[in-house]
Amino acid sequence: MEKIKEVYGIKTVVSDKEVDYLPAFLSQEEIKSVRNFHATIEGYKATPLVSLDDLAKGLGVSRIYVKDESYRFGLNAFKGLGATYAIAKLLCEKLDVDINSISFDYLKSPEVAERIKDMVFVTATDGNHGRAVAWAATQLGCKSIVYMPKGSSIRRLQHIKDAGADVSITDVNYDEAVRIAKRKAEEIGGYVIQDTAWEGYEKVPNWICQGYTTMASEAIDQMKLDGITKPTHLFLQAGVGSFAGAVLGYYANVFKGELPITTIVEPENAATIYKSALTNDGEPHAVTGDLETIMAGLACGEPNVVTWEILRDFAKAYVSCPDYVAARGMRILANPVDNDKKVISGESGAVGLGLVSLLLEREELKELKDQLQLDENSVILCFSTEGDTDPEHYNKVVYDGKNPSPFE
Ligand SMILES: Cc1ncc(COP(=O)(O)O)c(C=O)c1O
């Protein structure tokens, strides 16, 4: 691991690792049922893959693709992919059926409803995951209980409530809220549907990660329509790292030795993957405290212990970003260049593109740009994992210029 010079608060560690394994639970064989299952959910449609050609031209690269997850299942974020798949797998176990032989409608049918109606799903969330769990549970006729960390957005709470959950904002951070959810589930005989893994709790989060691969596989199919077989670069934001680990682990299986050069992006006050990479003893390292950042979805201090290993072994760079990087990404995506399409991207969705823009524009970041081999042939893929899930804050950033960049 090599630490490179800090620029405008952006801290980076780069790695030169070569590994000779592939994450088995994200193999094409393992995940082949995932997209088929998602396709049975009413309202399923591949989300747009936006090619920002004029932005790419201006920034001197071949392509910049942004997968716009604000369109996913009407939930304004990607998390429905994980929650639906994990809950479906759990129900398949309970009902002793194969996921390949059932549809979401089957799980909603009266005969199944009768058998699962007393199940309660419990989770902790910064917003998006909890809304997805509540949305899925309600459709299945089940109850959901959702805990949010202190300082959570009231709008996000309202969305979860509207989706049918018993939801509350706690006075603890995300990682503690996860422990509250776990205790509650134990107490009432509920089922923890958590989007992060810890020692002894891996099955459900692994299903959630498998669920996330749908957007990664859609993106590849969509690029093929442009004659492009794979991105050269990935910029993946991380909270606990399940999303980034799922996409990276899946692409490792798909592209084998030809993996895109991958950068993991985090908020500076919750940069647990960055801290773990920097510590460089192979272990995940937690960040504690309030984890204050505008990127609420990424405000997690303890990594998913399963996906941490994927991020450790397959990523090239780990970047800790001040909030202005996300705000810049939101503003760029909200103000498209020439014929580019607008993407409404929320705080946790836009940080990757924000970093890309800085790497390609700011001479001071040349060392990292060179390390990543970004040049005119680069095909960059970012995932805008949420839309304006907190519209008031979105407007403060995009209309009022909140969190300005630190340079002229
Ligand atoms: C919009 C958004 N993007 C990215 C993430 C990060 O996902 P993970 O916690 O799996 O790293 C989250 C998590 O809540 C999120 O809500």
Side-chain angles (χ1 to χ4, degrees):
M1 296 286 172
E2 185 194 343
K3 197 171 176 198
I4 57 185
K5 194 176 76 200
E6 179 177 333
V7 179
Y8 293 121
I10 297 172
K11 300 191 205 100
T12 308
V13 176
V14 288
S15 123
D16 255 327
K17 207 169 270 128
E18 281 202 14
V19 290
D20 60 359
Y21 77 98
L22 293 170
F25 78 105
L26 295 165
S27 71
Q28 282 166 290
E29 178 59 23
E30 275 293 318
I31 62 100
K32 69 175 188 303
S33 51
V34 178
R35 227 172 127 176
N36 290 340
F37 172 73
H38 281 141
T40 72
I41 299 176
E42 199 187 324
Y44 167 80
K45 202 167 175 268
T47 55
L49 181 72
V50 180
S51 185
L52 298 171
D53 295 340
D54 291 313
L55 181 67
K57 203 161 143 203
L59 292 176
V61 290
S62 175
R63 295 264 185 178
I64 297 177
Y65 283 112
V66 176
K67 182 83 169 140
D68 184 354
E69 287 295 312
S70 69
Y71 288 89
R72 186 69 68 187
F73 294 136
L75 295 172
N76 215 2
F78 74 107
K79 290 274 179 175
L81 292 173
T84 50
Y85 191 68
I87 290 175
K89 285 287 280 186
L90 188 73
L91 297 181
C92 284
E93 252 188 21
K94 196 174 164 66
L95 302 165
D96 197 21
V97 291
D98 179 356
I99 188 119
N100 292 297
S101 68
I102 58 117
S103 65
F104 196 54
D105 277 346
Y106 165 76
L107 297 176
K108 292 197 293 187
S109 66
E111 62 177 290
V112 172
E114 188 48 40
R115 293 176 66 185
I116 65 173
K117 66 178 190 322
D118 295 327
M119 287 175 82
V120 182
F121 302 119
V122 189
T123 197
T125 185
D126 308 301
N128 295 320
H129 172 68
R131 185 178 181 185
V133 169
W135 173 76
T138 301
Q139 288 189 71
L140 296 165
C142 299
K143 283 204 188 71
S144 55
I145 302 177
V146 178
Y147 296 100
M148 302 180 78
K150 75 171 165 190
S152 289
S153 145
I154 299 298
R155 281 299 283 266
R156 291 188 179 123
L157 172 127
Q158 193 58 47
H159 280 135
I160 297 170
K161 203 176 201 161
D162 293 347
D166 170 356
V167 54
S168 53
I169 298 180
T170 63
D171 58 1
V172 295
N173 74 13
Y174 169 81
D175 307 284
E176 288 301 328
V178 171
R179 286 185 262 281
I180 292 177
K182 183 170 168 276
R183 282 198 298 273
K184 181 69 179 181
E186 279 161 11
E187 195 185 300
I188 63 167
Y191 295 81
V192 181
I193 305 293
Q194 200 56 59
D195 52 351
T196 188
W198 54 87
E199 223 55 63
Y201 180 77
E202 289 106 358
K203 195 161 70 173
V204 169
N206 284 2
W207 286 332
I208 288 177
C209 287
Q210 290 176 335
Y212 295 161
T213 63
T214 285
M215 68 182 148
S217 87
E218 285 173 3
I220 297 307
D221 287 352
Q222 288 164 317
M223 274 183 204
K224 281 188 189 145
L225 301 175
D226 293 338
I228 290 174
T229 51
K230 74 171 189 79
T232 59
H233 292 81
L234 295 173
F235 286 81
L236 303 174
Q237 58 274 40
V240 296
S242 303
F243 152 73
V247 173
L248 184 54
Y250 170 66
Y251 283 162
N253 277 287
V254 172
F255 299 121
K256 308 276 182 324
E258 301 280 300
L259 191 61
I261 296 171
T262 302
T263 302
I264 305 304
V265 190
E266 293 176 285
E268 61 183 349
N269 291 338
T272 171
I273 308 297
Y274 166 84
K275 180 179 174 183
S276 305
L278 182 64
T279 310
N280 200 19
D281 60 2
E283 298 298 318
H285 290 273
V287 172
T288 53
D290 281 351
L291 314 172
E292 189 59 43
T293 171
I294 62 168
M295 297 170 249
L298 311 183
C300 313
E302 297 174 24
N304 172 328
V305 295
V306 174
T307 50
W308 151 246
E309 296 187 1
I310 299 173
L311 301 180
R312 177 193 66 198
D313 294 343
F314 293 92
K316 167 79 184 166
Y318 308 86
V319 183
S320 153
C321 293
D323 281 348
Y324 78 84
V325 180
R328 188 173 212 260
M330 292 164 73
R331 287 189 281 268
I332 291 174
L333 289 166
N335 295 283
V337 183
D338 297 337
N339 295 315
D340 284 351
K341 194 169 163 273
K342 173 173 169 167
V343 177
I344 297 179
S345 183
E347 298 80 357
S348 299
V351 64
L353 193 274
L355 180 63
V356 166
S357 73
L358 290 165
L359 281 169
L360 299 175
E361 262 179 40
R362 303 295 305 189
E363 190 54 32
E364 304 92 315
L365 282 157
K366 188 169 180 316
E367 189 184 355
L368 179 55
K369 181 184 175 190
D370 290 346
Q371 286 269 4
L372 296 176
Q373 300 164 47
L374 281 165
D375 61 25
E376 68 281 6
N377 300 315
S378 298
V379 175
I380 295 168
L381 173 60
C382 298
F383 290 82
S384 175
T385 44
E386 68 176 348
D388 53 349
T389 52
D390 182 352
E392 284 87 12
H393 190 263
Y394 178 87
N395 288 348
K396 274 189 194 156
V397 171
V398 173
Y399 295 1
D400 302 327
K402 185 175 173 284
N403 300 103
S405 302
F407 35 79
E408 293 294 302

